[in-house]
Amino acid sequence: MISFMNRRSFLAGGAVFAASPLLPPFVSAALAERKQAVVRVDVDIANLDPGNRIGTVDGNVILSVCQTLARFDAGKLTWSNDAAKEIKQISETEYTFELNPGQMFTDGYGEMTAEDVKFSFDRFINSDAKGKKLAYAEDLGALDKVEVTGKYTGRLLLKHPSPALWLIGLCDASGAILSRKATEALGDKIATQIIGSGPYRLAEWRPKEQFVLEINPDYKGAAKAHFPRILAKFIAEPKTALLSFQGKELDFTAVDPSSAGEARKVEQAKVIEIEGIDYTWISLNVEKGALADPRVRQAIRLGIDIDMIIAGAYGAAVSRAKTLLAPGLIGAWPEAPLYNRDLEKAKALLAEAGQTGLSVSFTCLNEAVPMATAQIVQANLAEIGVTVTINAMDSGAYWAMGSDDKSKDLELTLIQYLSKFDPSFQTQWFLSAQVGLWNWQRWKSADFDRLHAEGLATTDTVKRAQIYIDMQKLLDESASCVWITHGRNFFIHADWLKPCLLPNAMNWQYEYFGEA
Amino acid sequence: MTARWFRILRDRNGRLGLLFMGLVLLLALSGLILGADPNRIDIPQRLAAPSFAHWLGTDNLGRDLTARISAGTRSALTLALLIVAASAFLGAVIGTAAGLFGRWLDWVVTAIFDTLSAFPALILAFSLVALYGTGRQTFVILAILIFMPQFGRLARSRAQALRHQSFVEAERLLGVHPLVIVLRHILPNIAGPLIVLAGMNIPVVITFEAGLSFLGLGVQPPASSLGTLIKDGFIYMSESWWPTIGAAGTLAFATLGSTLLAETFRDILDPKSATDAEGRA
């Protein structure tokens, strides 16, 4: 008889069993079935109202918690029906839709009906409960009205043909279908407590620490989530995030371009590299003091050494931008002028403007790359006699300047905005109506506004491209923006994880995160 | 008297303190002697290891670390001396007045000192920065507000004890002006403890300045501070550890050196406390 258990093996087995709680968490996690993915967000949740969201962290939560009529396919810019059972295009300005029956909002707010769709989109068409226009109203700007034709059916009527409506509006966070009952009951709390019917529900949010998405068992759509939980930890500083990843505290994080080389050396991990379409620039407030003089703005543009910023702050991991729209997008402007540093010309412009001993503030995020950029700009401008005071802010205070006209006292500001694949998404932040919100240059141009409206209604691609080039020419003439880079996005993830991002790299589709 | 000061050299802690502070002072002056610009950006040299051209290497913008640490050390020492001197002076004047004249003045001064002491330093820092912005001026005002009550309380209690001494009473009865009494009898009697307290506070102010600068609330760029150097160094630690080592090492030497020196001074000026300490040990 062969004994499978002797005294020695019993003792050894017992010792392993007894020691198992002492194993490092990552070893335990590796042995267990993957119940969650831990991701890092660089900005905390700020506003979960789809029309007033602050950034993509909010947008990504909204899209995983709420349904849209159609949802982007995994990692692609094509879409499939989500809340809608059927969508039909009747003409260039009319769509009909039919919802799937039995789609329940969480927390007992009942079934989704066409009334909820109308309510959600009417907020963009009209205003919120206080009569204030939503920050993202332009996303659905082409929508004239929504008509309810039955419990689950309705019509979307457009003011004009809109090539961008689905891409930047209805499939994105602005197209999130809210529960009318929940939104009216929650009031202002909608900013922090979103009720949806999507693949996940927001189970927990500890400000400045973490939030948890838990799978919604009642979700009826096709985008069923793989992980029961997504734990998102808030770590503002990308270098710190990389250290946390190396410490096995994270499974997925964005990495600073300057740290990409270091990230590639991390074992049991993979690095994703995606060419950026976003835009980082130095905004010059055209209403503030000496900056109101275009010659001063031109002088500052010529005084800053962008190549030095690319090399010093970004470790030469990104390429230089010349204008708003990244290469490859509709309206990209390859012939945009490249402003190389010219100290003599900059000094001459300042002298012509009668400016001596000029002092300006430079506002930026209190992070490694922005701080390095700020110090380079400070050193550069000192050479033309401009004193720069750096005002570094944490992300909460910084992005809060996008409301209530808080940006009016800014002078020079380092900004990074994220992009979508339709140029109208990028140009909307430079409209006159965005002054006091996200147009921190406070530059207003009736021509720019008119062209933006034309671009939204033009379906001819060649004509559209020319419209957006003309808009960028106006921006260039204003000298209110000093373009730095479109960025290059680097991510690191555990080799067992398969993250899912749209090609702009900023829309993370938590519902499609899976195991490799 | 001179013999008492030579006790620093006889004391092991005193010798170590002098050595550390000597090194720190040498580093603080080296930037001036070498003439390197602490703010000169040289991107091709970013995060370079120590070399003949850059003795302690360079930071993330290619700036010479010897020059930056030297500037940061000068800034820390200057600020510490300025703040401690101002706090001691103001505390001595206000505390002595409260201790001598008593009544409502004593009540008001004690209430102010209690209120200031009850405020957590960081909360006070955040409040002041929110009101007046970051920078050296804000830091100096903040630090004086934090450190002055200690000197004030000490001066007040000593003055209260001295005002009833017979020699003070005698002078008062003879009609000597209160200011003369203060200068002739009170100040000489409280100067010793105040100097000891000032010495003990110097390393605390140095660490406080570094801590606030680390949090972005202290000295602002392009000015160099040991706190910002440590913070920036920490961010780029995986690429080069020289910035962190250089700045953190200097901070450690400065605080340790000034603490050891202050303790030795205390033992010299107030031998009883040293005897007590030895007795307890």
Side-chain angles (χ1 to χ4, degrees), chain B residues 181-206:
Chain B
I181 298 176
V182 169
L183 292 174
R184 193 185 290 165
H185 297 295
I186 309 293
L187 278 184
N189 275 293
I190 64 173
L194 284 178
I195 290 170
V196 170
L197 184 63
M200 300 299 280
N201 269 329
I202 284 177
V204 184
V205 178
I206 291 174

Side-chain angles (χ1 to χ4, degrees), chain B residues 68-90:
Chain B
R68 285 190 73 70
I69 292 173
S70 172
T73 309
R74 283 198 304 278
S75 164
L77 293 177
T78 312
L79 282 174
L81 289 173
L82 172 74
I83 287 160
V84 167
S87 304
F89 176 75
L90 287 173

Side-chain angles (χ1 to χ4, degrees), chain A residues 42-229:
Chain A
D42 61 341
V43 177
D44 196 12
I45 287 176
N47 194 330
L48 293 175
D49 177 347
N52 286 320
R53 64 192 189 271
I54 301 294
T56 47
V57 170
D58 294 342
N60 294 339
V61 171
I62 291 166
L63 280 172
S64 65
V65 170
C66 295
Q67 286 188 275
T68 43
L69 286 175
R71 180 176 291 272
F72 281 120
D73 297 324
K76 294 177 185 166
L77 291 171
T78 54
W79 51 84
S80 308
N81 289 347
D82 184 18
K85 185 177 172 185
E86 188 178 63
I87 301 168
K88 275 187 194 166
Q89 183 168 9
I90 307 301
S91 70
E92 280 198 322
T93 56
E94 183 184 347
Y95 295 88
T96 60
F97 66 86
E98 182 183 351
L99 297 174
N100 288 306
Q103 297 180 132
M104 307 302 290
F105 288 108
T106 58
D107 299 66
Y109 282 103
E111 187 186 13
M112 181 194 293
T113 67
E115 282 293 346
D116 293 309
V117 177
K118 178 176 168 55
F119 169 77
S120 303
F121 296 170
D122 274 355
R123 297 176 73 239
F124 285 75
I125 297 168
N126 306 316
S127 298
D128 66 9
K130 292 176 184 166
K132 197 174 163 189
K133 200 174 178 188
L134 301 185
Y136 281 77
E138 278 298 312
D139 282 6
L140 303 189
L143 209 53
D144 187 32
K145 60 181 170 181
V146 181
E147 285 180 0
V148 175
T149 53
K151 186 177 180 186
Y152 300 118
T153 57
R155 293 200 309 155
L156 305 178
L157 298 165
L158 277 54
K159 293 174 198 158
H160 49 71
S162 173
L165 182 67
W166 291 87
L167 194 62
I168 67 165
L170 296 176
C171 293
D172 198 14
S174 294
I177 302 168
L178 302 174
S179 156
R180 177 178 194 154
K181 201 173 153 189
T183 309
E184 287 177 348
L186 290 171
D188 286 344
K189 287 184 189 162
I190 187 184
T192 55
Q193 197 180 333
I194 191 163
I195 303 293
S197 54
Y200 282 109
R201 52 182 281 275
L202 182 63
E204 179 191 314
W205 174 36
R206 283 190 247 156
K208 294 279 178 193
E209 193 181 333
Q210 63 177 43
F211 65 81
V212 175
L213 298 172
E214 268 181 13
I215 203 161
N216 173 14
D218 297 329
Y219 172 61
K220 296 284 192 300
K224 300 262 191 256
H226 173 80
F227 290 108
R229 256 165 68 100

Side-chain angles (χ1 to χ4, degrees), chain B residues 2 8 40 48 102 157 168-169 245 249:
Chain B
T2 318
I8 295 175
R40 188 179 165 271
S157 64
V168 176
E169 293 282 354
I245 294 293

